[in-house]
């Protein structure tokens, strides 16, 4: 995709991000399968590992994960103009939908069909989140790093059974990862 003209890439980014934004109901985890389909399977713009790295950056930056990830993928494919076009495309569908809902809120709030559709969407969102968690876990296991696997299992157990705020878990694991990297680098320096 990088060998295509800038205009082609910008138009493709606009279309891809519009599609992702229209289908990504349910938050940040919902966009992973959509981004994978558009950017990895169709455009072959980057690989799975790069997607997870970009997702980690998007998650740790302030703001909505979907917008952050659209900016990062747009920048990777077409620089600053790609990031701007991608953000506009990611914001446009929700903005239009919210404006339409606000305009006819009183008519929609008591509509049983719309309430039933929203309840059905909750089940679909749960299934997609389970799929994303499975993919993330599979990628950790693929590394065959026993420490990463143990950290993943302990993090899940602490979050699920002890109901500790995820922020504390993320900070703790981040510090642990930082320390592990420092120790690993020191060992490399000692061996060199």
């Amino acid at each position: 995709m990088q060998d295509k003209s800038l205009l082609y890439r910008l138009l493709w980014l606009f279309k891809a991000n519009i599609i992702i934004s229209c289908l990504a109901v349910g938050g940040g985890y919902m966009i992973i399968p959509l981004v994978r389909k558009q950017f990895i399977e169709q455009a072959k713009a980057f690989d799975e590992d790069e997607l997870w790295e970009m997702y980690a950056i998007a998650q740790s930056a302030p703001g909505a994960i979907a917008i952050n990830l659209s900016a990062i993928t747009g920048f990777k494919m077409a620089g600053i103009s790609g990031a701007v076009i991608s953000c506009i495309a990611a914001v446009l569908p929700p903005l239009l939908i919210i404006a339409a809902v606000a305009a006819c809120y009183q008519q929609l709030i008591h509509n049983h069909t719309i309430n039933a559709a929203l309840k059905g969407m909750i089940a679909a969102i749960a299934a997609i989140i389970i799929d994303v968690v499975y993919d993330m876990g599979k990628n950790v296991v693929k590394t065959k790093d026993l420490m990463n696997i143990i950290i993943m299992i302990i993090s899940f157990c602490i979050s699920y059974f002890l109901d500790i705020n995820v922020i504390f878990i993320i900070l703790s694991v981040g510090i642990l990862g930082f320390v592990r990297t420092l120790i690993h680098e020191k060992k490399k320096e000692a061996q060199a």
Side-chain angles (χ1 to χ4, degrees), residues 31-156:
I31 62 173
I32 294 294
L34 300 169
V35 171
R36 181 184 297 124
K37 181 173 181 172
Q38 293 291 324
F39 287 86
I40 295 175
E41 294 172 13
Q42 290 180 4
K44 300 194 183 342
F46 42 82
D47 62 26
E48 187 87 21
D49 290 336
E50 288 176 297
L51 171 62
W52 288 112
E53 289 170 7
M54 288 186 275
Y55 185 76
I57 293 167
Q59 218 176 8
S60 57
I65 295 170
I67 306 302
N68 293 344
L69 189 57
S70 70
I72 294 167
T73 55
F75 184 80
K76 178 151 179 69
M77 289 188 67
I80 297 289
S81 55
V84 170
I85 290 292
S86 295
C87 285
I88 291 169
V91 169
L92 199 56
L95 182 67
L96 295 174
I97 291 167
I98 289 171
V101 168
C104 47
Y105 178 73
Q106 289 303 321
Q107 293 82 13
L108 294 176
I109 194 168
H110 300 296
N111 187 315
H112 296 293
T113 305
I114 290 178
N115 286 329
L118 291 173
K119 286 180 182 172
M121 289 170 66
I122 290 171
I125 290 167
I128 293 172
I129 289 174
I130 289 169
D131 181 56
V132 170
V133 168
Y134 171 77
D135 284 345
M136 290 172 79
K138 183 174 68 175
N139 287 336
V140 170
V141 172
K142 249 195 252 182
T143 66
K144 296 182 181 172
D145 183 342
L146 184 60
M147 182 62 90
N148 285 344
I149 295 168
I150 291 169
I151 290 171
M152 176 183 69
I153 293 168
I154 290 173
S155 297
F156 171 78

